[in-house]
Amino acid sequence: MKRLLPLLLTAILLLTLLPGAALAENKFYFDKTYNTVMEGEMLQLVLIREGDCADDGQLTFTSSNKRAVTVDEDGFVYGVGKGTATITATLKGYNRTWTAKLTVTCARGVTEVRVNEDKLSVYGVYDPLISGVVDPWGEYGELPVLLIRKGKQVTISATLYPTDATNRKWQLTTSDANVARVSGTTITGRAAGECLVTVQSVQNPDVYTAYHVLVVEPVTKVKVTGTEKTIYVGETLVLDATVTPANATIQGVTWSSSREDNASVDAYGVVYGVSKGDAVITARAADGSGQYATYTVTVKQQPESITLNKDVITLKTGNYQTLTATVLPSTTDNKSVNWYSSDESVAKVSTSGRVTAVSPGTAIITCESKTHNYVYAQAVVNVYQPVTKLSFIEKNPYVAVGESITLSWEIGPDTATDTSVTLSTNKESVLEVHQDGTVIGLKRGEAYVYVTANDGSGKKASIKVTVTQPVEGVEMKYDQVSVGVGSKVTNTAQFTPSDASITSMTWYSADPNIATVSGTGSKATVTGRAWGDTTIIGVTDDGSYVTTFDVSVGNLDEALVITNLYVEDNDTIRIVTYNQSNLVITRFYYEIELYDAWGNPLDCNYRNHSNMFEGSNKNTIYPGESLGRGTYSFGSEFSRPWGIGKVVMTITGYETEDGTSRYIRQENRVERVWEATVMEEYGY
């Protein structure tokens, strides 16, 4: 707020207009009465001008400290900030200059009065403790209510802000000294009643704090009563407080607890058990009389829950097991419990929780707090007759891959409580077992199936199941084989899949005169009987699959055989050959080596002088025919020697009527040897 002091300059100027003013003494100075301006406010200085100074001239104003005070051309000063400044007025006349100086103080005002209420009994007008005593709609409205006992005084402690205000003094005022008298910093209660007391700034009376003072008839005694001294955690207790005298202005009390962590109390005297322990509950007169009474409450911890070490126990008739009860929380004062059985013909329970199985059936065991029967825990007891016998019915079962069988078992006795079982296998890759006894073959092999009683008796049985792999297809390793007459050759049947379990076969020959076959497994052994072609047939034992392969009987290197070889007396070599093949041979070739009786080579080839010569036969030999003497043509290099003792002949090749030529390799040639005895050599 800005204030403008009365202007005195006008009056002074009027004096200069009176007759004889020209003869007045020259005066030029400030009136020092007005030398203080409040921070943020304005003040017009009073400048005295008499004599020649009253004449017109150039008048200026300056401030030495504009951070404290500023001044305008009309002599109005403005409080900028706390501090002082010298204001100089300068008047320039025709022949002379006059100056005047004034020290102006800028004062910082009080903006707030704050009262320390820590030691005062101050209540809101709606506080239940003074409800009905003061009227919030009355003369003092909703001002805070300050209680003072009649005949007692209270001391006011106030702080004015800002703390650097120029004048921080304050004073007390009362609207009715008969009710409450003020003196210095104290208020004294004179008579029961109400008045207004103001804590007011001396510098700025518009800044204050006001209280609705209530002088009361004091309480002289407080009494607390309750129905009991002990409560449990979570429970409440209602205490009642009465005050003396009956006409005490404030009948209410304030409640407090010495141990809020044990027992708390609300504004209405309701005590709540928080945790195990003792607490002193105090009811203190609300009028500030200092009167109070106490009530000691003991809070106990009741059981809140009970847990058992097992919720379900299973016992064989005659056996027993002990249940352990834990009463919570651990701070519970009385942890005693009682035990009950819902059916003692099934199971009995002792005072220590020992449960004894009597007969098959189900019973409920209850553990109950002795002090709070609504706190309890229960366990189910199942009494059973265990399994004593368990075995599979099947013997040596087997199942094919991809197929299934169902196993069955016997369980005893008939009175067994739990006849359920669990089936398993030691090789899940070989077979799959279901709990209904179904077994599915997965791959060829052997695996055990186990059946285990679920009643905990430990009874178990096992059975070995063979998983077979059926044949899904068969083919021969070789589609065609060759074998000589009287020789044997083997061909192998290949099964799909390769791990088929049953590989037995029955083998047949389409023409046993040409070839016969033997064997019962995957190998067929073929024996050549006569030159020709035939088919070997193989059938799986279950008749599902048939395979065949072709057989060609006859060794082409042995199509011709030398059936007779000898030397006549005149050293003429005689030869007989036989066509044992089914070929029409039109010509064949041979080699002959000659030795004397002592095994020495006989020179019979005049070209190279060796004991070996070649020959051929151009006669056609039909299958099954022989070619005898007089039909063999020796080479032109042959020179017949005398004294032949040994002849070695081999057939080296032949030609057939279809133009095919056959050359017999050295290692496959069959020698025919003739040797003469010594007596034959000398003609005996």
Side-chain angles (χ1 to χ4, degrees), residues 215-230:
V215 179
V216 300
E217 188 68 40
V219 172
T220 59
K221 183 179 179 181
V222 179
K223 182 180 180 181
V224 178
T225 58
T227 58
E228 52 190 312
K229 292 284 188 179
T230 300

Side-chain angles (χ1 to χ4, degrees), residues 560 577-580 620-627:
L560 288 174
T577 57
Y578 174 73
N579 183 356
Q580 63 178 1
T620 299
I621 308 176
Y622 291 95
E625 292 186 353
S626 295
L627 186 64

Side-chain angles (χ1 to χ4, degrees), residues 231-237 261-264 271-275 299:
I231 61 173
Y232 286 96
V233 172
E235 294 182 346
T236 58
L237 169 66
D261 55 339
N262 293 130
S264 62
V271 179
Y272 179 78
V274 178
S275 65
V299 180

